[in-house]
Amino acid sequence: MAGSLVPIVFFALATVASALGPAPVLLGTAGNYAVIAKTGVSSVPQSVVTGDMGASPTAQTYYTGFSETNSDTGTYSTSQQCNGRLYAADNTSPTPSVLTTAVSDMETAFTDAAGRSENATLNFGGGSIAGATFAPGLYTWGSNLNVNGDCTLSGSVNDTWIFQVSGNLNVASSKRLILSGGAVAGNVVFVVSGAVTFGSSAEWNGIILSQTAIHMVTKSSINGRLLAQSAVTLQRATVMSYGLGGNQTAPAARSSSTATQKRSTRSSVSLL
């Protein structure tokens, strides 16, 4: 009709990028730390840690090799080897209770990640891998996992990986875990029932959840977090926890049913 106003409605269509791999492992407050250890953290100087460290239920004396300086408040200490803060169970309140929560969150994340089973790829390579490219997914080994050559994770910024190791995880000297296609370290989780050892000059990416100890041998480095239910040892090692990306540390933003619908849990492995 002439002279009439015809309303025009614009519809915004949001494009949601689908994500491949298992639902994220939520770290809770444990995701606030570069390093957590229940029985202590040691360094052979000079190590480099970007981010905070937490030791609980152990005391500050179980930080060894860091030459700490106590804060005026007594709630934390600092070290030239760490650009964050060093927290311990015997620091002034509220640090002890904050650490107790972080350790509990770490243990909850371990239990969650270790308990996943849907669409898992089992015992790839018989526990010895080199030159493999891993698509997003869940991978599990019933014994030790030995990494004897460079490996690659190929996926997008939203994709996720969980690697379950029932024994020890041993990364040989100078071996690398490479991220390609936009994959980010914050979406990669290694959940290891035994000890984790990174050989000299190894270069790694991801969140390490160890039920025992994590050892970083001379000049090894990780872009991720070291979360151990016993000790963490650093030998002139580098731990970089900033800018990891991903949603492993985020609170749950959607129901588990929605998460299942949005994610594909299919995984595959290829050899270079």
Side-chain angles (χ1 to χ4, degrees):
M1 179 182 298
S4 64
L5 298 177
V6 179
I8 301 175
V9 179
F10 294 93
F11 294 93
L13 299 178
T15 301
V16 178
S18 61
L20 301 178
V25 177
L26 303 181
L27 301 179
T29 61
N32 296 332
Y33 299 84
V35 176
I36 293 179
K38 293 178 69 174
T39 63
V41 185
S42 65
S43 172
V44 176
Q46 290 281 92
S47 294
V48 176
V49 178
T50 62
D52 294 337
M53 295 193 289
S56 178
T58 55
Q60 184 177 325
T61 55
Y62 286 84
Y63 284 109
T64 59
F66 286 98
S67 301
E68 310 99 274
T69 299
N70 291 328
S71 66
D72 291 340
T73 60
T75 54
Y76 64 90
S77 60
T78 59
S79 169
Q80 291 185 349
Q81 298 178 68
C82 177
N83 76 344
R85 296 175 174 179
L86 285 68
Y87 295 97
D90 62 342
N91 287 153
T92 302
S93 180
T95 298
S97 62
V98 171
L99 286 176
T100 296
T101 300
V103 168
S104 177
D105 288 347
M106 171 183 71
E107 294 171 339
T108 298
F110 180 95
T111 300
D112 173 26
R116 305 289 184 91
S117 60
E118 185 177 1
N119 295 321
T121 298
L122 303 177
N123 295 314
F124 174 76
S128 180
I129 59 175
T133 296
F134 293 89
L138 173 64
Y139 301 87
T140 183
W141 287 267
S143 57
N144 294 341
L145 174 61
N146 299 306
V147 182
N148 298 313
D150 294 351
C151 292
T152 301
L153 306 186
S154 179
S156 76
V157 67
N158 296 312
D159 295 341
T160 55
W161 291 257
I162 297 176
F163 298 89
Q164 300 169 331
V165 182
S166 295
N168 300 325
L169 170 61
N170 302 304
V171 179
S173 296
S174 301
K175 301 307 180 256
R176 300 177 299 159
L177 183 63
I178 302 164
L179 304 180
S180 69
V184 295
N187 279 336
V188 180
V189 172
F190 288 82
V191 54
V192 184
S193 297
V196 178
T197 302
F198 295 100
S200 176
S201 299
E203 299 177 13
W204 212 249
N205 287 281
I207 313 299
I208 310 298
L209 290 164
S210 173
Q211 198 169 29
T212 56
I214 303 172
H215 308 290
M216 299 197 70
V217 181
T218 306
K219 295 184 179 179
S220 59
S221 64
I222 186 169
N223 182 39
R225 306 184 193 279
L226 304 180
L227 308 177
Q229 294 185 37
S230 61
V232 171
T233 63
L234 309 174
Q235 299 176 16
R236 288 187 286 160
T238 300
V239 182
M240 299 170 288
S241 69
Y242 292 166
L244 300 181
N247 49 15
Q248 305 290 351
T249 62
R254 58 190 180 187
S255 68
S256 58
S257 59
T258 303
T260 301
Q261 294 170 6
K262 293 292 185 180
R263 306 189 74 89
S264 167
T265 54
R266 182 178 179 182
S267 58
S268 63
V269 188
S270 64
L271 292 178
L272 297 178

